[in-house]
Amino acid sequence: MSEMQNIQWFPGHMTKTKRQIQSSLKLVDAVAEIIDARIPVSSRNPDLHKLIQNKPRVILMNKCDMANQTATKMWIDFYAKQGITAIAIDCKSGRNFNKFPSAVNTVMKEKIERLKAKGMKNPMIRVMIVGIPNVGKSSFINKIAKQSKAKVEDRPGVTRGNQWFTVSNNLEMLDTPGVLWPKFDDQIVGEHLAFTGAVKDQVIDAELLAVRLLDFLRRLQPKDFIERFKLQDLDLENTDSYELLQMIGKKRGMLVSGGEIDTERAAIMLLDEFRAAKLGRITVEMPNGELR
Ligand code: G4P
C-alpha cells in the first residue's frame, strides 16, 4: 500500500492543477469544498486553506446517504464550533441542495453587506466547487445545472470558456470544478480512500484491503456485517479478520476447484458491498477521533 502515494498524483500534476485552481479563484467570491461524509478527514486536501488564501469557504459533506446520520450531525457541530459552515448533501436525491445558497450567503455576509451599503441591491456572488477525485463534484454541478433555468451568458470580465449557472437569485456557480489531491503520504488516509473506492482498485491488493476493512468494521459495527453475512454463530473474539473473510466467502459459496475458498472474490464482493452502503451507513472517521 506504500505505492499509493505515487498513484494518480505526481508533483507536475499538482502544480498544474494548483495553477488552474488559482486562475479560477480570481473569478469567484467563495469556494464550496466537497468532501465525502464517510471520510471527512481523508477526503479533504490539507493544504486547501493555503491554496484558496482568504476566500470564504463552505463545506459540502456529500454522499450523506451512505454515511452514519449521527456521525454527520457530529461533524456539522464540530465544524460549527470552529466557525465553519458545513451542510450535509447527497447528489442522488438532491437532499439539502436548497440549503446551499443560504450557506454561501452566510459565509459571504460581510461582503454582501458592504456591497449593499454601497447601494447595490442584490449583489451577485460567484462560487466554485473544489474537491479531491470521486467526492461527487461533477454530480453536484450536473444536478445544479439541470435545476438551473438558465446558463449565464458570456459577459465582460468573465473569461470565455467558463460556463456559469444560476443557483439562486444572487448566486452563480462555475461549471468546472477544481480538482484537489488527497494526502497520499499517510497510509491510513490512502486506506480510507481505498475503502470508499476513491483510489483505483488495480493498485491495491483487494484481500489486504478487505482484511483492513474487516479490522475496522469488527470494532465499529460488527452487528451489521454479522447479519448481512449470516454469521450469527461467529466467535468474533477468536476469529482474525482473514478467517472472517474466509467465512464470508464460504457463506456466499465462493469456492475454487478443490473446495478452497476464493478469498479474492470474497474481498472484492465485500469492498463492493461496503462502497454501495449495503453493509450499513458507515462513517469511517469521527471528529476529534484518531484516524486509526
Ligand atoms: P468527482 O466529479 O468528484 O470525481 O465525482 P463524481 O461526481 O464523478 O462522483 C463519483 C461517484 O460517486 C459516482 O459514482 C457518483 O454517482 C457517486 N456519487 C456522487 N455523489 C453521490 C451521493 O451523494 N451519494 C451516492 N450514493 N453516490 C454519489 P460512479 O459509480 O463513479 O458512477 P455512477 O454510479 O454515477 O455511474
Side-chain angles (χ1 to χ4, degrees):
M1 219 152 327
S2 58
E3 282 166 60
M4 241 182 245
Q5 65 215 59
N6 301 321
I7 312 300
Q8 294 172 336
W9 294 98
F10 47 90
H13 202 161
M14 290 186 196
T15 312
K16 196 171 151 229
T17 72
K18 238 183 224 175
R19 231 181 274 132
Q20 180 248 322
I21 290 179
Q22 272 157 349
S23 76
S24 300
L25 273 173
K26 291 190 192 115
L27 308 172
V28 300
D29 305 291
V31 166
E33 179 191 12
I34 303 205
I35 63 172
D36 184 326
R38 296 167 299 172
I39 47 167
V41 179
S42 299
S43 62
R44 289 191 74 182
N45 175 302
D47 299 326
L48 182 67
H49 61 284
K50 271 189 247 150
L51 195 62
I52 64 171
Q53 306 280 344
N54 47 8
K55 293 265 182 212
R57 180 178 43 140
V58 170
I59 293 181
L60 305 179
M61 297 186 75
N62 190 34
K63 308 199 184 185
C64 72
D65 56 311
M66 298 201 280
N68 178 286
Q69 282 157 297
T70 311
T72 302
K73 277 200 197 92
M74 286 169 73
W75 273 107
I76 302 234
D77 291 347
F78 171 80
Y79 292 131
K81 280 193 190 117
Q82 298 172 52
I84 300 171
T85 303
I87 54 174
I89 59 162
D90 126 36
C91 290
K92 292 274 170 195
S93 72
R95 181 171 180 265
N96 283 344
F97 272 38
N98 57 350
K99 288 190 181 165
F100 178 53
S102 60
V104 175
N105 279 343
T106 304
V107 300
M108 289 302 300
K109 203 164 163 248
E110 273 175 33
K111 185 171 178 184
I112 293 172
E113 275 167 10
R114 238 181 9 250
L115 291 170
K116 280 189 174 165
K118 281 187 188 161
M120 218 183 264
K121 275 207 182 106
N122 191 23
M124 186 57 79
I125 300 300
R126 300 205 179 90
V127 63
M128 77 178 282
I129 302 299
V130 300
I132 66 164
N134 204 47
V135 287
K137 296 177 296 301
S138 335
S139 306
F140 183 71
I141 292 170
N142 290 341
K143 210 164 174 95
I144 293 233
K146 255 191 220 147
Q147 288 173 359
S148 168
K149 281 184 205 76
K151 283 184 205 161
V152 179
E153 295 308 319
D154 283 347
R155 68 170 104 72
V158 175
T159 316
R160 229 160 240 289
N162 281 311
Q163 191 68 69
W164 297 84
F165 291 98
T166 308
V167 181
S168 71
N169 64 352
N170 73 334
L171 181 61
E172 285 174 5
M173 190 174 79
L174 188 61
D175 79 335
T176 21
V179 183
L180 302 168
W181 53 95
K183 196 173 178 233
F184 273 125
D185 49 0
D186 184 319
Q187 193 188 314
I188 300 291
V189 168
E191 223 167 76
H192 289 182
L193 288 165
F195 287 169
T196 64
V199 171
K200 298 258 183 314
D201 272 349
Q202 55 267 39
V203 299
I204 309 146
D205 183 84
E207 283 177 77
L208 176 62
L209 191 64
V211 166
R212 296 291 289 141
L213 180 61
L214 286 168
D215 281 346
F216 175 81
L217 292 176
R218 62 189 296 154
R219 269 192 288 134
L220 187 85
Q221 54 197 78
K223 214 174 118 256
D224 285 340
F225 76 76
I226 285 174
E227 262 171 38
R228 173 116 192 130
F229 299 112
K230 302 187 174 59
L231 295 169
Q232 280 81 1
D233 301 333
L234 170 76
D235 174 7
L236 192 59
E237 297 243 312
N238 294 308
T239 309
D240 71 26
S241 295
Y242 186 73
E243 287 166 339
L244 202 50
L245 182 64
Q246 287 180 313
M247 290 168 98
I248 289 172
K250 196 170 170 199
K251 282 278 179 187
R252 290 286 171 100
M254 291 174 167
L255 304 178
V256 281
S257 55
E260 293 236 339
I261 297 158
D262 190 343
T263 42
E264 177 158 10
R265 239 181 97 205
I268 293 166
M269 178 272 300
L270 180 76
L271 291 165
D272 280 350
E273 295 207 353
F274 173 79
R275 288 167 188 165
K278 288 184 184 158
L279 305 180
R281 294 174 61 160
I282 299 171
T283 298
V284 177
E285 296 165 354
M286 298 298 286
N288 285 335
E290 287 176 28
L291 263 185
R292 278 137 248 254

